[in-house]
């Protein structure tokens, strides 16, 4: 069975109502990114950071998978599908995708700020003073700016044996995640679905579908 590796970004979840911080009216507007998404921000104002991610967790809980998430899950009927996502929501899993790597963490998990390997499920709000068993504070299980991306190596390994590569809802412009594409085997079919694709010069060898994820994935299903 051929293997499809799908790389997704904020654009796919935006169509489920989850705003991206690059949108003009995006979720992050009104928040200084360094105050709510850095280790320094956490040390300076733990309460503000928890409130911000509690809000995001509630919004994700209310969101539902869209047609693009479902189309990716549908590919599993014909291919071995590995999803690598930059998103911290669980919409891929709720749509039925079985193999999902979250590069930037998961909003429905929390971890100790002392021992990052101590991880627990969380569906509700996290109290700012909630402590893990090791005495550290529970923090959102997300990768903040300035932190390492623990799943990068796993993602790279999955890309190395891909037979088909699909990018949905991201421009492949943000590093370090964008650098993963260099692990792909040469000559395999590559597709990009994004309503605002970057210049063609950056996408040599890609079939580009310049549409929103929900529409573009329907077109892509007809091509493969």
């Amino acid at each position: 069975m051929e293997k499809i590796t799908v790389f997704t970004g904020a654009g796919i979840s935006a169509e489920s109502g989850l705003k991206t911080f690059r949108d003009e009216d995006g979720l992050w507007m009104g928040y200084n990114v360094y105050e709510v998404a850095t280790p320094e921000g956490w040390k300076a104002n733990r309460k503000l950071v928890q409130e911000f991610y509690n809000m995001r967790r509630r919004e994700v809980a209310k969101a539902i998978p869209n047609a693009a998430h479902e189309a990716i899950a549908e590919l599993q009927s014909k291919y071995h599908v590995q999803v690598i996502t930059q998103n911290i929501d669980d919409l891929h899993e709720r749509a039925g995708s079985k193999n999902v790597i979250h590069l930037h963490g998961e909003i429905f998990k929390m971890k100790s700020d002392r021992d990052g390997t101590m991880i627990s499920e969380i569906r509700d709000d996290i109290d700012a003073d909630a402590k893990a068993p090791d005495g550290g504070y529970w923090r959102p299980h997300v990768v903040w700016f300035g932190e390492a991306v623990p799943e990068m190596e796993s993602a790279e390994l999955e890309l190395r044996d891909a037979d088909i590569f699909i990018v949905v809802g991201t421009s492949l412009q943000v590093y370090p995640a964008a650098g993963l594409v260099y692990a792909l085997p040469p000559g395999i079919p590559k597709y990009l679905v994004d309503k605002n694709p970057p210049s063609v010069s950056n996408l040599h060898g890609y079939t580009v579908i310049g549409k929103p994820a929900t529409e573009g994935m329907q077109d892509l299903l007809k091509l493969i």
Side-chain angles (χ1 to χ4, degrees), residues 25-43:
D25 63 342
L27 175 67
W28 298 64
M29 297 303 291
Y31 289 90
N32 183 322
V33 67
Y34 295 103
E35 292 180 355
V36 296
T38 64
E40 293 76 19
W42 172 254
K43 291 176 183 176

Side-chain angles (χ1 to χ4, degrees), residues 124-163:
D124 301 313
D125 290 354
I126 306 174
D127 187 271
D129 296 319
K131 286 197 170 183
D134 66 351
Y137 289 102
W138 286 121
R139 55 161 277 188
H141 180 40
V142 296
V143 176
W144 289 328
F145 291 96
E147 293 186 320
V149 182
E151 295 292 342
M152 283 289 287
E153 186 175 344
S154 298
E156 184 176 329
L157 289 172
E158 294 295 344
L159 285 164
R160 285 180 182 170
D161 62 356
D163 297 302

Side-chain angles (χ1 to χ4, degrees), residues 5 40 123 125 180 219:
T5 299
E40 293 76 19
R123 306 298 298 189
D125 290 354
L180 284 170
D219 291 352

Side-chain angles (χ1 to χ4, degrees), residues 75-169:
L75 290 169
Q76 294 173 141
S77 64
K78 297 181 180 178
Y79 302 92
H80 171 69
V81 179
Q82 174 66 58
V83 177
I84 300 169
T85 186
Q86 297 177 94
N87 302 331
I88 60 175
D89 60 65
D90 65 341
L91 297 181
H92 280 299
E93 288 90 342
R94 279 195 265 155
S97 288
K98 304 298 184 186
N99 306 305
V100 184
I101 292 174
H102 288 267
L103 285 179
H104 296 154
E106 299 177 65
I107 193 65
F108 291 120
K109 291 181 180 179
M110 58 185 180
K111 64 182 179 182
S112 169
D113 67 357
R114 180 175 294 179
D115 176 5
T117 65
M118 183 172 287
I119 299 171
S120 182
E121 301 279 339
I122 178 70
R123 306 298 298 189
D124 301 313
D125 290 354
I126 306 174
D127 187 271
D129 296 319
K131 286 197 170 183
D134 66 351
Y137 289 102
W138 286 121
R139 55 161 277 188
H141 180 40
V142 296
V143 176
W144 289 328
F145 291 96
E147 293 186 320
V149 182
E151 295 292 342
M152 283 289 287
E153 186 175 344
S154 298
E156 184 176 329
L157 289 172
E158 294 295 344
L159 285 164
R160 285 180 182 170
D161 62 356
D163 297 302
I164 300 171
F165 182 55
I166 300 171
V167 180
V168 186

